[in-house]
Amino acid sequence: MLSYKLPRFIQVMESNIIPYLRATAITANGIYAGLALTVTFVGTPMLRATGYPIAGWASLYGRGAKMAVSSVVVATSAYLSLFYYTSEKRFLVSGILAFFSAPWTILVMVPTNRRLQAINAARANPNTNQTKAGDSDMQRDEVKPLIEKWDKLNTVRTVTGTVSFLLTVWQWW
């Protein structure tokens, strides 16, 4: 069997990239964990305190989604690269935990997100019969349980992202 050994400069490059990948993974995962914790423990309770939280949810969701997606992609890529270079299963586990929020959102949370977005669009669109001044009682009654459901589903993402981050911090030392 033929064996091929990588040139020395590639071996050196691979060994030098690992600290950068670790720093990238922990930074991106920390950003996601911080965002998720803030939404769970600050944003959602604030929404509950308002009389009609749909506009606040739409703003929170719209801004948070952009930041969350990019940090999850960067963290997962860094973790999987670390696993590739080191074959250490801890990086694979952290990568899976960091990535978990993507399929969870798509498979479980999208129906709730879409319904909340539809209610917000109907509320904000002046061409419909339900303008800001005339929100239907039915939609008002529907929003609070949807926000509660969304909060519970979002808590799952918060836990997995935070556990991934804490595993990485613990593994760093």
Side-chain angles (χ1 to χ4, degrees):
M1 177 182 253
L2 291 174
S3 174
Y4 179 75
K5 188 172 181 179
L6 291 172
R8 176 77 180 129
F9 74 93
I10 292 177
Q11 291 175 355
V12 169
M13 184 180 72
E14 285 181 350
S15 67
N16 288 339
I17 199 168
I18 290 172
Y20 296 107
L21 288 172
R22 281 185 181 155
T24 301
I26 199 167
T27 300
N29 201 181
I31 289 169
Y32 177 76
L35 172 67
L37 288 166
T38 301
V39 167
T40 300
F41 293 109
V42 178
T44 309
M46 188 173 57
L47 292 175
R48 280 192 207 105
T50 66
Y52 190 56
I54 192 67
W57 177 87
S59 178
L60 181 71
Y61 179 79
R63 290 183 176 128
K66 294 172 188 169
M67 195 163 129
V69 168
S70 59
S71 60
V72 165
V73 167
V74 171
T76 301
S77 299
Y79 283 129
L80 295 180
S81 296
L82 282 164
F83 175 69
Y84 173 79
Y85 285 118
T86 66
S87 298
E88 293 182 32
K89 290 182 182 169
R90 62 187 179 157
F91 295 125
L92 180 62
V93 170
S94 290
I96 291 168
L97 287 171
F99 182 72
F100 178 81
S101 67
W104 177 258
T105 300
I106 293 166
L107 298 173
V108 178
M109 293 186 71
V110 161
T112 304
N113 293 347
R114 284 190 179 152
R115 183 61 192 137
L116 285 165
Q117 289 167 336
I119 292 170
N120 185 58
R123 175 192 140 317
N125 188 350
N127 297 326
T128 66
N129 293 333
Q130 297 173 346
T131 61
K132 291 179 184 177
D135 291 324
S136 74
D137 289 336
M138 185 172 77
Q139 283 184 343
R140 282 187 179 274
D141 294 341
E142 185 181 10
V143 169
K144 286 189 179 184
L146 281 171
I147 295 288
E148 293 299 323
K149 180 179 180 181
W150 183 86
D151 182 39
K152 289 176 184 167
L153 296 173
N154 186 60
T155 300
V156 173
R157 295 189 303 189
T158 301
V159 168
T160 59
T162 304
V163 167
S164 177
F165 175 70
L166 293 174
L167 281 174
T168 305
V169 171
W170 176 68
Q171 294 166 3
W172 191 289
W173 284 278

